[in-house]
Amino acid sequence: MKRLNIHDIMAHKGKEPLVVLTAYTASNARLLDEYVDILLVGDSLGMVVYGMENTLAVTVPMMIAHGKAVVCSTKKALVVIDLPFGSFQASPAQACETSTSIIAATGCGAVKLEGGVEMAPTVKFLVERGIPVMGHIGLKPQSVNAMGGYRTQGKNEKDAQSLLEDAKAIELAGAFAIVIEGVVEAVAKDITAQLSIPTIGIGASPACDGQVLVIDDMLGAGGEYIPSFVKRYADVAGITKKAVSEYAKEVRARRFPSAEYCYPYKKN
Ligand code: KIV
């Protein structure tokens, strides 16, 4: 099977919506691969896998470890890996060094970075050096301290205009696609109409060219809090709790392992 590349993804513009999910582990990635176009090894792994309060302490070695697991266990989806906070903002050269180390170590097909107009020169620098880049505008979790929390973006005309400028700058810099996070519908719709690259929404309405969700959120596998834009497609936490409580009961009652789960003893 041929793995999807950035040109396959760009060809979706205005056609069938792109299906994107985050993946952090081999077991999840193996299950998701056949159903999605892109697997995003997002820095949300800091919160989802490591229980961090936000994404700011995620490191390049973490992204490489999880990125390798996802690439090794998949055949079809384009794998995109996030550049974590502090690994790319200082200069285009720093972003290039981080991106090349991630791509060389994992074999992923592209990197993603958060930022608008201010990051456009960095995106251009990477793209000109053969590094495919996915942009990420709107609610940027790595700017949580600057934003004063996770706030919906594009609520007034000035904000909407600056989001459109961000999107256009990232497109002009050569990004192959752009994530739009936590943005009001009319603004996401306008940006999607004005760009020639696919937009991938998360909390940004069906107007986008594709959708991305955090896998644990949509499976109901994570903690108590999930954002209001997430639809829970399963109750994995409930299923897990039921299975584990049954296992615990059976172990304590010496009902597990029963004979069929033991190696038989054969007399010669
Ligand atoms: O880190 C992440 O998982 C992301 C998506 C939620 C878009 O950036």
Side-chain angles (χ1 to χ4, degrees):
M1 184 183 289
K2 184 182 156 288
R3 199 182 275 281
L4 296 174
N5 60 45
I6 62 164
H7 302 284
D8 301 315
I9 299 303
M10 291 168 89
H12 273 260
K13 180 73 188 178
K15 296 189 184 134
E16 191 184 37
L18 287 158
V19 180
V20 186
L21 280 170
T22 66
Y24 318 110
T25 63
S27 51
N28 257 355
R30 214 175 282 130
L31 292 174
L32 307 183
D33 193 29
E34 77 174 280
Y35 302 102
V36 301
D37 300 300
I38 299 175
L39 284 172
L40 171 65
V41 185
D43 62 354
S44 52
L45 66 80
M47 298 161 87
V48 177
V49 180
Y50 292 94
M52 295 170 176
E53 192 186 333
N54 55 46
T55 59
L56 303 183
V58 174
T59 63
V60 173
M62 281 179 184
M63 298 310 298
I64 288 177
H66 290 271
K68 250 189 204 171
V70 170
V71 173
C72 284
S73 51
T74 57
K75 290 188 174 72
K76 186 203 123 196
L78 172 69
V79 178
V80 178
I81 301 185
D82 255 340
L83 301 188
F85 181 68
S87 74
F88 68 96
Q89 293 95 338
S91 66
Q94 185 204 24
C96 191
E97 214 166 287
T98 303
S99 304
T100 51
S101 70
I102 288 176
I103 291 168
T106 65
C108 72
V111 295
K112 174 167 84 57
L113 62 86
E114 292 181 17
V117 170
E118 77 292 353
M119 291 312 301
T122 297
V123 173
K124 187 168 187 285
F125 189 89
L126 297 181
V127 172
E128 284 174 352
R129 283 154 184 80
I131 298 168
V133 179
M134 175 183 277
H136 183 153
I137 62 159
L139 193 164
K140 294 168 286 185
Q142 292 177 9
S143 301
V144 61
N145 290 330
M147 288 185 303
Y150 298 106
R151 299 187 194 291
T152 312
Q153 306 289 302
K155 282 180 160 173
N156 58 53
E157 208 157 303
K158 190 166 158 255
D159 205 10
Q161 185 55 35
S162 94
L163 283 172
L164 182 60
E165 282 163 21
D166 283 341
K168 283 186 167 172
I170 295 299
E171 172 176 58
L172 192 64
F176 71 92
I178 189 162
V179 167
I180 304 181
E181 178 164 358
V183 167
V184 298
E185 177 159 16
V187 178
K189 195 171 181 180
D190 186 35
I191 293 172
T192 300
Q194 296 213 34
L195 296 193
S196 56
I197 55 171
T199 59
I200 298 162
I202 173 161
S205 88
C208 297
D209 298 302
Q211 297 295 325
V212 56
L213 284 177
V214 167
I215 185 65
D216 289 56
D217 289 348
M218 64 86 76
L219 289 181
E224 295 302 299
Y225 172 77
I226 53 161
S228 58
F229 56 77
V230 174
K231 178 173 175 182
R232 273 196 172 162
Y233 285 84
D235 178 21
V236 167
I239 293 169
T240 305
K241 279 184 178 185
K242 191 166 173 286
V244 173
S245 88
E246 204 162 313
Y247 167 72
K249 252 191 243 158
E250 290 198 357
V251 168
R252 290 188 180 118
R254 295 195 188 280
R255 283 204 305 275
F256 178 83
S258 50
E260 73 243 69
Y261 300 105
C262 296
Y263 291 113
Y265 177 70
K266 271 193 203 151
K267 265 191 181 172
N268 289 334

